[in-house]
Amino acid sequence: GAGVSQSPSNKVTEKGKDVELRCDPISGHTALYWYRQSLGQGLEFLIYFQGNSAPDKSGLPSDRFSAERTGGSVSTLTIQRTQQEDSAVYLCASSLEDRGAADTQYFGPGTRLTVL
Amino acid sequence: KDQVFQPSTVASSEGAVVEIFCNHSVSNAYNFFWYLHFPGCAPRLLVKGSKPSQQGRYNMTYERFSSSLLILQVREADAAVYYCAVCGNQGGKLIFGQGTELSVKP
């Protein structure tokens, strides 16, 4: 079956513009996660959804970042007024539920965002 | 602060057993996850759990605050970044280390 997909695979934007990154989780997975990998850094948690609600938004770095999920499926991560420090690879993962270690998170290939 | 620590690089030779060590300071985390990441591709889970376990050539050791990933009979194709992560028993947030870049000499 299909894995987690993300689009676009690459995005180049100018400082100050808004961008939207999309994640299509594995069908039937109720939990969806967003992570970020900045240059030379590890994977950093941003936000996760259980269904359409976001119980944990603790990783969002500023109020310029927001995410939504509709229909318990597709999620969109929006970054407003992008800054150069937002340049990173944004990874999405999904799991059957959010039971922590009991549910494996499957990752997408990521969106590489470059802010000029 | 909740952190996961792992070496930034490990070097090995083909056929050897490679060990990548990881430890953490996350108070409510009991489970380790080891992911393989080829840049540009999706990170892939190798092994996970709260006890020693094995999946093919990948072994995971377990202590309450530390784990090692052992790669048996390492090959050049295993050269990649290996991430250690921990997760508490509730909720799904993974806390990742910085990643260990494995290089393998022929």
Side-chain angles (χ1 to χ4, degrees), chain A residues 16-21 36 46 62 64-66 77-83 86-87 90 113 115:
Chain A
K17 302 280 191 184
D18 297 352
V19 294
E20 284 190 353
L21 312 180
R36 176 172 73 170
L46 297 177
S62 77
R64 295 186 295 104
F65 286 72
S66 63
L77 177 69
T78 301
I79 309 173
Q80 295 178 310
R81 305 181 302 281
T82 52
Q83 304 293 314
D86 299 334
S87 297
Y90 290 82
L113 174 66
V115 182

Side-chain angles (χ1 to χ4, degrees), chain A residues 33 35 37 40-45 48 56 58 91 98-109 112, chain B residues 31 33 35 37 39-45 48 83 87-99:
Chain A
Y33 307 82
Y35 296 88
Q37 182 184 28
Q41 303 295 315
L43 294 165
E44 172 192 18
F45 169 80
Y48 102 90
D56 189 346
S58 62
L91 287 156
D98 64 346
R99 295 179 296 157
D103 291 305
T104 297
Q105 292 182 31
Y106 297 87
F107 281 81
R112 179 176 294 278
Chain B
N31 296 279
F33 298 74
Y35 278 86
H37 189 208
C41 298
R44 178 169 68 92
L45 181 69
K48 69 173 186 178
Y83 283 101
C87 180
N89 279 327
Q90 294 184 351
K93 178 173 76 175
L94 289 174
I95 302 171
F96 283 88
Q98 300 276 44

Side-chain angles (χ1 to χ4, degrees), chain A:
Chain A
V4 177
S5 61
Q6 293 184 244
S7 61
S9 55
N10 280 284
K11 176 71 176 179
V12 180
T13 190
E14 294 179 346
K15 179 181 172 181
K17 302 280 191 184
D18 297 352
V19 294
E20 284 190 353
L21 312 180
R22 177 186 167 109
C23 172
D24 282 90
I26 292 172
S27 178
H29 280 195
T30 62
L32 185 149
Y33 307 82
W34 284 99
Y35 296 88
R36 176 172 73 170
Q37 182 184 28
S38 303
L39 186 64
Q41 303 295 315
L43 294 165
E44 172 192 18
F45 169 80
L46 297 177
I47 185 173
Y48 102 90
F49 290 89
Q50 175 57 33
N52 291 334
S53 64
D56 189 346
K57 305 179 183 179
S58 62
L60 294 178
S62 77
D63 58 8
R64 295 186 295 104
F65 286 72
S66 63
E68 64 176 16
R69 189 179 185 195
T70 55
S73 181
V74 172
S75 176
T76 302
L77 177 69
T78 301
I79 309 173
Q80 295 178 310
R81 305 181 302 281
T82 52
Q83 304 293 314
Q84 288 183 331
E85 61 262 28
D86 299 334
S87 297
V89 176
Y90 290 82
L91 287 156
C92 174
S94 71
S95 64
L96 201 57
E97 293 182 26
D98 64 346
R99 295 179 296 157
D103 291 305
T104 297
Q105 292 182 31
Y106 297 87
F107 281 81
T111 294
R112 179 176 294 278
L113 174 66
T114 303
V115 182
L116 302 177

